Amino acid sequence: MTPNRQHRMSVRRDRLRQLPEVLANWSRKRVTVTVITAAASAVFLTAATGMIFGAGTGWAGYALVSAGSILAGFLAGSYTDAPIGAVPTFCDLRWPVMGMFGMVWAGSPREALPPVQGIVGTLALALMALALHARLEHERKVTLARRPQDSDVEVCTDCRPLFSAKLPPR
């Protein structure tokens, strides 16, 4: 392995180790939003897929609902009171919304082959996990940047903030 590749892998490991630190710095409000949203997502997905009435795809459907609800909760928590520089935008919503639609489709009883539903469910979870990772990585860069290469926070100039701040009157 080349020294440059070793350095890149070392930087990635350091970044992954810092993600729990980002979560540990969350306020009580963010944690509360995470828990409430995860519970609401579980109820929504269970009702939308028909599992509340005993229909659905069996244990795989319940695993999909559980994992998706947890990811949705953490995503909602990452949007709440985000630090300056990591403010969520409308663009941050596209992948989680597509992931939720994919989970509803994959968890619903339908005539699709079970492997296809499993693949769609896995892809939906992957979309939400990537969106969560991007949010937490963005927050990590803003709050825990310890290296010069971490201080360059990418900002989407095409997107509007999700929660626009009102300017004080002059």
Side-chain angles (χ1 to χ4, degrees), residues 142-159:
V142 170
T143 58
L144 300 175
R146 295 189 176 134
R147 292 190 167 88
Q149 68 265 26
D150 287 342
S151 62
D152 61 332
V153 178
E154 298 127 12
V155 176
C156 180
T157 57
D158 297 336
C159 297

Side-chain angles (χ1 to χ4, degrees), residues 46-122:
T46 304
T49 58
M51 286 185 218
I52 203 163
F53 303 113
T57 58
W59 69 268
Y62 290 108
L64 179 70
V65 166
S66 299
S69 299
I70 291 168
L71 286 170
F74 276 112
L75 279 162
S78 74
Y79 298 147
T80 307
D81 287 343
I84 295 174
V87 176
T89 63
F90 279 104
C91 295
D92 290 331
L93 289 178
R94 59 187 156 197
W95 302 120
V97 169
M98 287 175 56
M100 287 294 273
F101 281 127
M103 282 190 289
V104 168
W105 188 88
S108 300
R110 57 184 72 251
E111 313 227 343
L113 296 172
V116 173
Q117 284 182 289
I119 291 170
V120 170
T122 304

Side-chain angles (χ1 to χ4, degrees), residues 22-39 73-74 76-78 80-81:
V22 169
L23 292 173
N25 290 332
W26 278 16
S27 66
R28 183 173 287 172
K29 179 180 179 181
R30 292 179 94 179
V31 172
T32 303
V33 167
T34 299
V35 171
I36 290 171
T37 304
F74 276 112
S78 74
T80 307
D81 287 343

Side-chain angles (χ1 to χ4, degrees), residues 119-151:
I119 291 170
V120 170
T122 304
L123 290 174
L125 286 175
L127 276 177
M128 292 185 71
L130 286 172
L132 178 61
H133 180 266
R135 290 285 313 143
L136 293 178
E137 177 65 16
H138 196 69
E139 191 170 326
R140 184 199 66 78
K141 282 183 178 181
V142 170
T143 58
L144 300 175
R146 295 189 176 134
R147 292 190 167 88
Q149 68 265 26
D150 287 342
S151 62

